[in-house]
Amino acid sequence: MFDLFPGDRVLVVAVHPDDESFGPGATIAAMTGCGVTVDVLAVTCTSLPMYGGASDPHVRAEEFDAACDALGMADRAIAWTDTDRAHNPGAFMPDLIALIESGTGPSLRTSTPDVLLLPAYGAHHQDHQAVHRAALAAARPGDRRLRPVPRIVLGYDGPEDRAWQAAGMRPLVVDTTASWPVKEKAMLCHASQIRDDPHPRSLAKVRALDEAAGAACGAVTAERFAIYRMEV
């Protein structure tokens, strides 16, 4: 997948702990299953009231760790919890770019990834839009002798992005039929963030969205990605 081999590295930038599972979880599981090292940085976690549920940072951190284990991910961290930066990351763009580019980790500097997965342009939520802009800036082209520059940069959608609005062109389709059960296991780890059907964050609707993506490539399930850089 993506011309990756055992020992190659991937960095996933998630806005919140759970985005790694509800978004590209099956693709992550397929990569780790082939010996690729995948790290994940969750940028924010807050206890602010949420539409359709609540957010307890301690519970979400435990869920995040369990989901990362289920997906086979290596290094993982939640950067900002219940701070001004966590509540409004878009107001701290220089700090956000620095966190993704050269933070204590996981970051581009610590992971030196071949592939970067980031929230795609056109996300429904404003904090996802901010993290998209920051991650794309952190991965800007440049001299690889001076800083890590991933050769592949892909954008993933969350369930709300796929269900509530047209997210634009996502031309890269990954067959996740074999790894979808691992995605489901990881999503179940985030019990506090699962919603009842027909909400887009229900297991039934995530499965339906992935089956619809699978129809594009003759697979049972698939995940779609925006392409921002593809060097293979």
Side-chain angles (χ1 to χ4, degrees):
M1 186 184 295
F2 309 141
D3 199 31
L4 294 173
F5 297 93
D8 287 342
R9 302 188 67 90
V10 175
L11 174 63
V12 180
V13 175
V15 184
H16 309 106
D18 69 29
D19 293 327
E20 81 296 327
S21 300
F22 284 85
T27 298
I28 291 170
M31 290 189 292
T32 60
C34 293
V36 175
T37 300
V38 182
D39 301 327
V40 58
L41 170 68
V43 175
T44 74
C45 188
T46 76
S47 57
L48 295 175
M50 299 175 60
Y51 174 76
S55 180
D56 181 319
H58 178 71
V59 170
R60 297 193 71 180
E62 290 182 341
E63 292 175 342
F64 177 62
D65 198 44
C68 288
D69 287 344
L71 294 174
M73 289 195 279
D75 195 13
R76 76 286 300 259
I78 302 172
W80 298 335
T81 300
D82 269 344
T83 64
D84 290 343
R85 290 175 175 82
H87 296 158
N88 188 11
F92 299 90
M93 191 58 65
D95 293 345
L96 187 54
I97 295 170
L99 173 72
I100 296 168
E101 182 176 349
S102 57
T104 56
S107 66
L108 293 175
R109 179 181 61 83
T110 63
S111 295
T112 61
D114 301 280
V115 178
L116 173 66
L117 300 184
L118 52 82
Y121 175 79
H124 180 79
H125 299 292
Q126 63 181 13
D127 47 1
H128 287 241
Q129 296 171 14
V131 173
H132 164 80
R133 295 194 304 271
L136 206 57
R140 63 197 179 278
D143 190 337
R144 288 188 170 93
R145 295 171 299 180
L146 302 178
R147 59 181 177 83
V149 179
R151 60 183 178 83
I152 298 175
V153 179
L154 304 174
Y156 63 88
D157 293 313
E160 292 93 340
D161 304 321
R162 293 186 286 168
W164 290 346
Q165 64 182 27
M169 283 295 294
R170 303 289 185 256
L172 178 61
V173 183
V174 177
D175 182 348
T176 62
T177 303
S179 57
W180 207 92
V182 184
K183 176 175 181 171
E184 182 178 33
K185 181 180 179 181
M187 289 189 293
L188 286 169
C189 292
H190 292 287
S192 72
Q193 302 306 304
I194 295 173
R195 302 291 180 260
D196 294 332
D197 194 21
H199 192 282
R201 298 183 72 82
S202 67
L203 296 180
K205 285 299 178 285
V206 173
R207 172 79 186 190
L209 290 165
D210 284 6
E211 287 178 344
C217 62
V220 177
T221 63
E223 291 172 344
R224 303 186 69 124
F225 295 86
I227 300 173
Y228 300 110
R229 183 180 307 136
M230 182 67 76
E231 300 176 29
V232 295

